[in-house]
Amino acid sequence: MTMTITRDEFRAELHADENATYAAARERSAVLDHLIDEQAASDPSRFRMLTGDRPTGPLHVGHYLGSLRNRVRLQDKGVETFVLVADYQVITDRDVVGQIGHHVHELVVDYLAAGIDPERSTIFAHSAVPALNQLVLPFLSLTTDTELRRNPTVKDELALTGGRPLSGLLLTYPVHQAADILFCHARVVPVGRDQLPHVEQTRAIARRFNERYAAGHSVFTEPEVLLSDVPLLLGTDGQKMSKSRGNTINLRDSADETAARIRGARTDSERRITFGPKARPEVANLLTLAGLFLDESPESIAERVGNGGARQLKEVVTEAVNEGLRDHRARRAELARDPAFVSTVLRDGSARANEVAERTLATVRAVMGMTY
């Protein structure tokens, strides 16, 4: 007897599989975080971490809460850290580089202001590490066209092109990201849920390289994900917080600019403030934002505001954000007065990263018999 399955049933099964995969990833991430707490100080290289950002515009509170604070936390625990300024990835989905030099400089300023220490962490740029980029070629041989096209980031970007041809750089973006992770033999990759497929692709490339080119020897170790506990924050318009939408609260904003952005944030018509992410997403988002800066639950903040309405809620959020970013802004202003130091940090970090990449590339060439 032939059994048929409806589209809705197929989607439900797929969603269940994705949830199961995510639950398993969270369990592994919790174990990894515990091991870092116990062992990173005595064995930093065991937990070497790769993380980074595209320099497409100013960093915002979503970056600060979702990644910057965690990078500093891990660095301070002793984790050996590589922080990538992904300048080549700027042109994956756009025709021009724009003010890339300015954006790169501002990105490094925010890294340093947040507490990333160039003496303990390596801050580097794609374009300054040619050996890293050369690794993309052998890694491409280990990846199929089908795998690339079903990657969520590639699929989403393709859907947004409006029929415009997909660039080769965007199509191979997951492989470039694998090279970012594997060139320095990173063991830990902090990501959100949407980035899990990228790390799985990297793990597959590492495994296939060892099997195909290294006769089963472990040239590359499969990296592990460290999932963020910070929920996805919405922008001031109620949509996903995004530099391209202009709905962000930027780290470089002044206290007055921050207050103005929060005053203009969407809420709803109910006066009493309650925390209901599904029923009242915009209000819940503001409560979550304040809670992350105050280290307090959004429910307790909602109870405190009570019948104070949106106006009082926004006052609480504004005070929490401005106070939470006070030290960051002070350090940022100091760094802005010394651009030569910022440039030196990036140049020195890129030189260190290139040394690591050259060693990895030499190993790859030797394993593949290309040392002639």
Side-chain angles (χ1 to χ4, degrees):
M1 184 174 71
T2 301
M3 295 185 64
T4 60
I5 184 170
T6 68
R7 180 177 297 180
D8 288 343
E9 288 172 333
F10 174 76
R11 287 177 175 171
E13 288 185 11
L14 184 62
H15 186 63
D17 288 343
E18 289 175 348
N19 285 339
T21 300
Y22 179 63
R26 286 208 64 82
E27 288 182 12
R28 293 198 303 271
S29 176
V31 171
L32 178 60
D33 207 14
H34 180 69
L35 289 173
I36 289 172
D37 283 341
E38 288 190 335
Q39 303 174 18
S42 60
D43 191 5
S45 61
R46 179 184 177 188
F47 302 101
R48 180 178 285 181
M49 175 177 70
L50 185 284
T51 183
D53 303 278
R54 292 202 309 166
T56 55
L59 294 186
H60 51 68
V61 292
H63 296 114
Y64 182 79
L65 296 167
S67 59
L68 287 182
R69 290 202 309 188
N70 194 43
R71 294 173 194 176
V72 174
R73 177 183 73 89
L74 293 168
Q75 169 197 264
D76 292 347
K77 286 182 180 293
V79 171
E80 188 177 355
T81 304
F82 281 73
V83 185
L84 168 64
V85 178
D87 53 349
Y88 272 154
Q89 290 177 7
V90 170
I91 51 175
T92 55
D93 58 351
R94 57 194 68 202
D95 298 325
V96 296
V97 295
Q99 296 180 307
I100 193 166
H102 173 72
H103 292 327
V104 167
H105 180 86
E106 291 289 287
L107 200 61
V108 177
V109 167
D110 274 321
Y111 288 162
L112 298 174
I116 293 176
D117 181 357
E119 296 298 321
R120 294 181 290 166
S121 296
T122 300
I123 303 172
F124 68 101
H126 259 157
S127 59
V129 187
L132 181 163
N133 297 295
Q134 195 169 336
L135 289 171
V136 174
L137 295 176
F139 289 172
L140 279 170
S141 73
L142 303 167
T143 313
T144 68
D145 174 78
T146 301
E147 286 176 319
L148 294 174
R149 291 183 180 276
R150 71 173 178 234
N151 180 276
T153 299
V154 174
K155 286 171 64 177
D156 290 346
E157 291 293 340
L158 181 59
L160 294 172
T161 59
R164 189 177 67 175
L166 187 71
S167 78
L169 185 57
L170 179 53
L171 179 63
T172 57
Y173 166 69
V175 180
H176 202 172
Q177 198 166 55
D180 297 338
I181 296 168
L182 296 177
F183 96 92
C184 63
H185 301 276
R187 307 288 291 274
V188 176
V189 187
V191 295
R193 181 172 184 168
D194 60 334
Q195 289 287 307
L196 281 174
H198 286 281
V199 182
E200 284 304 312
Q201 184 69 62
T202 298
R203 290 170 58 87
I205 288 172
R207 187 165 58 250
R208 291 168 189 171
F209 185 94
N210 294 339
E211 293 169 353
R212 185 180 301 182
Y213 296 130
H217 296 291
S218 183
V219 174
F220 294 109
T221 301
E222 297 178 36
E224 294 288 345
V225 300
L226 191 64
L227 287 165
S228 172
D229 290 326
V230 176
L232 182 67
L233 291 170
L234 302 178
T236 53
D237 60 355
Q239 303 298 311
K240 180 181 177 182
M241 188 175 289
S242 168
K243 290 179 282 190
S244 61
R245 287 193 174 98
N247 62 358
T248 61
I249 301 168
N250 299 321
L251 299 184
R252 71 183 186 188
D253 290 345
S254 68
D256 288 342
E257 288 171 333
T258 297
R261 289 182 187 273
I262 294 172
R263 278 198 303 272
R266 287 186 58 179
T267 52
D268 57 35
S269 58
E270 290 187 44
R271 180 166 182 81
R272 182 164 183 80
I273 299 301
T274 57
F275 182 69
K278 292 185 178 179
R280 309 180 69 184
E282 295 92 351
V283 169
N285 185 64
L286 289 174
L287 290 166
T288 299
L289 180 58
L292 288 169
F293 275 108
L294 296 172
D295 195 21
E296 187 178 345
S297 74
E299 290 88 351
S300 66
I301 296 172
E303 186 176 346
R304 192 164 75 244
V305 175
N307 290 320
R311 181 175 177 177
Q312 186 175 335
L313 170 61
K314 291 178 180 181
E315 289 174 355
V316 170
V317 176
T318 298
E319 183 177 356
V321 174
N322 280 334
E323 186 59 34
L325 293 178
R326 185 183 303 279
D327 291 343
H328 182 95
R329 287 168 174 161
R331 289 191 295 268
R332 203 179 195 289
E334 183 179 350
L335 289 162
R337 293 191 290 270
D338 193 359
F341 171 73
V342 176
S343 297
T344 298
V345 165
L346 183 59
R347 185 167 55 249
D348 291 350
S350 295
R352 287 199 300 270
N354 203 53
E355 290 175 3
V356 174
E358 287 282 4
R359 288 196 296 270
T360 301
L361 180 60
T363 299
V364 166
R365 292 181 64 215
V367 167
M368 297 180 72
M370 295 181 174
T371 54
Y372 25 76

